[in-house]
Amino acid sequence: MSTTLDRDAAAARVSAFPRIGVERPDLKHAAVAVCVVEDDGVPALLITRRAARMRNHAGQWALPGGRLDPGETPVEGALRELEEEVGLTLPPSSVLGLLDDYVTRSGYVMTPVVCWAGAVGSLVPQETEVARIHRIPVADLDVEPRLIRIPESDQPVIQLPLLGGFVHAPTAAVVYQFCQVACRGLDTRVAHLEAPVFAWR
């Protein structure tokens, strides 16, 4: 990581970020929690592995999140999903801000909600949705992504190295933007970064 990441620094950079929202009433709206925890003072992101028996995106890397309930704000939805999926209850005061909305190939406008949990105890995955919860040091994620080309799209597919493999968009795009904004203070955009074809469903 090029700079030290602590709550105050992350909060200042995220709150100063000129996020771009997407108005697409024809699409479903979802929110994900970009949640920073601290293990022995080391900031890490909570990233889950989706359960293998899920109907959509089974076995893929994901951030805690999902579709918004009627009348629910992205912050409310992200905090609710965080509690439901990994058993972590956070107050609204933990939220540092929002990143750019990302339109997924599966028909959602996804709003990333950045929150800082600090030191937390053991977390319990919701068995029907989450196979495993990982705490990945932010320093391991704050790397140059691999961009590849596919014949199905004119836009580059983003891949971030994770635990011997790769995490793909939309999760990779959101994590990459978080690192660019919160760690480096850069206004990097990711809406153009593509997901692999297997994630289009």
Side-chain angles (χ1 to χ4, degrees), residues 19 31-34 97-102 110-114 174 177:
R19 76 175 295 266
V32 294
V34 188
L98 309 179
L99 300 177
D100 286 344
D101 285 346
Y102 183 93
M110 190 172 76
T111 301
V113 178
V114 180
V174 172
Q177 186 174 61

Side-chain angles (χ1 to χ4, degrees), residues 41-128:
V42 177
L45 286 186
L46 291 182
I47 297 181
T48 67
R49 197 79 188 236
R50 291 171 66 87
R53 58 185 173 274
M54 290 193 69
R55 185 175 59 187
N56 296 317
H57 311 298
Q60 294 180 26
W61 296 111
L63 295 162
R67 186 171 182 173
L68 297 184
D69 289 340
E72 196 172 42
T73 68
V75 167
E76 291 168 342
L79 294 180
R80 173 183 55 78
E81 290 282 350
L82 191 64
E83 182 174 14
E84 291 177 0
E85 290 190 12
V86 303
L88 179 58
T89 303
L90 294 180
S93 59
S94 67
V95 175
L96 306 187
L98 309 179
L99 300 177
D100 286 344
D101 285 346
Y102 183 93
V103 178
T104 74
R105 282 286 191 169
S106 54
Y108 285 86
V109 175
M110 190 172 76
T111 301
V113 178
V114 180
C115 46
W116 194 283
V120 298
S122 59
L123 300 173
V124 180
Q126 182 187 42
E127 290 185 1
T128 57

Side-chain angles (χ1 to χ4, degrees), residues 141 143-146 158-162 165-168 172 175-176:
L141 297 168
V143 296
E144 281 300 310
R146 185 166 81 166
I158 182 173
Q159 299 178 329
L160 283 177
L162 181 62
F166 290 97
V167 58
H168 302 89
V175 170
Y176 176 59

Side-chain angles (χ1 to χ4, degrees), residues 21-29 101-104 107-109:
V22 174
E23 293 296 329
R24 287 286 303 273
D26 56 311
L27 299 180
K28 296 163 283 191
H29 205 149
D101 285 346
Y102 183 93
V103 178
T104 74
Y108 285 86
V109 175

